[in-house]
Amino acid sequence: MIRSVAELAARAGGQVLLERFHAAREVRLKGWRDIVTDADTAAQDAVIAAIRQHFPEHGLLSEEGLSTDTNNDWVWVIDPLDGTVNYSRCLPNFCVSVAAVESSQPVVGAVFDPLRGHLFAAERGAGASLNGQPLRASNCAHIAQAVIGMDWARLPAVRSQVIASLSRVAPLAGTIRAIGSAALALCYVAAGWLDGYFHLALQPWDGAAAGLMIHEAGGTLTTPSGTDWTYTQAGCIASNGPIHSELLALVKEPAE
């Protein structure tokens, strides 16, 4: 039931984004290098309406300023539009991310890319799928053959850290891709399309659903220091598993 509601809610938000994709839209600045569009809030309304119809008593945490009853045993963590800059420029990499979290542990996740009709879904202990087909992380064994994803931080100091990490990763990796949507990039690791990914400034709604995809697809998630990653932590390194130690050593700051 919870998984089906997560999928329904992600699709509902995605339909709003799809309908508005080529239309004129309002864009406003909500922070440093951080924009929001009218589509973000409209998609959020659609996602929440779908959840509330079935679970009105659950807590909610969403990117667009919504936080209700987050001490509840059940909290829905929502990004109604992950990849807002892409969306605002009609670049086709964006999605809706919906996770159901029980006692601080994501148990269900749905990430929907409405342009491609890709519905990534996962349930703890029950695997991950793309449009119903099982997902499995890649078996790439060496970073020299790996496709590595990354995304930029907004704050200048953290962006400088990203640049430093990239300067170590890029010379040795097969190639690098910047996706512009953390949730999609993490799902791409779960699908085996990317072999690894790193981000140093995630928000809880960026990875709550997609991180579960990686775990259920057999991948690995840690912090840049090598400890187990949780969706509330900003720094994340994701991989298929075999290249993780190589990628981790390159991303993290060298010891002084």
Side-chain angles (χ1 to χ4, degrees):
M1 175 65 170
I2 287 183
R3 178 169 176 168
S4 64
V5 171
E7 294 176 1
L8 176 69
R11 286 188 181 277
Q15 184 61 36
V16 171
L17 299 181
L18 191 60
E19 290 171 354
R20 293 171 176 241
F21 184 52
H22 290 294
R25 62 179 59 89
E26 298 175 10
V27 180
R28 63 180 175 84
L29 194 65
K30 64 177 183 178
W32 174 254
R33 292 176 174 151
D34 193 8
I35 64 169
V36 63
T37 74
D38 54 322
D40 293 70
T41 52
Q44 178 173 271
D45 290 345
V47 170
I48 290 170
I51 294 170
R52 285 291 192 223
Q53 183 177 357
H54 298 277
F55 299 107
E57 74 281 8
H58 286 184
L60 298 168
L61 176 63
S62 183
E63 179 178 12
E64 302 313 324
L66 179 68
S67 178
T68 65
D69 200 15
T70 55
N71 292 322
N72 194 307
D73 285 344
W74 283 94
V75 177
W76 292 79
V77 182
I78 303 158
D79 194 338
L81 174 49
D82 185 45
T84 300
V85 172
N86 285 349
Y87 187 86
S88 72
R89 299 297 186 95
C90 290
L91 292 170
N93 286 324
F94 59 87
C95 65
V96 181
S97 177
V98 179
V101 176
E102 182 186 23
S103 301
S104 301
Q105 294 295 320
V107 295
V108 163
V111 175
F112 184 51
D113 174 348
L115 283 182
R116 298 176 177 87
H118 288 169
L119 179 64
F120 298 90
E123 186 173 355
R124 189 168 62 191
S129 64
L130 169 57
N131 294 343
Q133 298 302 307
L135 290 182
R136 197 69 188 169
S138 78
N139 59 7
C140 178
H142 302 289
I143 202 162
Q145 286 81 48
V147 181
I148 304 297
M150 52 78 64
D151 276 307
W152 298 101
R154 296 188 183 99
L155 295 177
V158 184
R159 186 170 287 195
S160 294
Q161 294 173 12
V162 174
I163 292 170
S165 294
L166 187 59
S167 72
R168 295 187 291 269
V169 174
L172 299 180
T175 191
I176 304 290
R177 295 289 182 268
I179 307 301
S181 166
L184 277 185
L186 290 166
C187 286
Y188 292 174
V189 175
W193 303 346
L194 293 175
D195 304 301
Y197 175 77
F198 68 95
H199 199 308
L200 303 184
L202 290 174
Q203 296 293 330
W205 40 80
D206 293 325
L212 184 62
M213 309 285 173
I214 293 179
H215 282 303
E216 293 298 320
T220 301
L221 281 165
T222 70
T223 67
S225 63
T227 59
D228 289 341
W229 179 82
T230 64
Y231 77 94
T232 58
Q233 292 175 291
C236 175
I237 300 176
S239 80
N240 62 348
I243 68 162
H244 199 84
S245 59
E246 283 186 277
L247 183 58
L248 175 62
L250 292 169
V251 172
K252 70 180 181 181
E253 292 184 14
E256 294 182 358

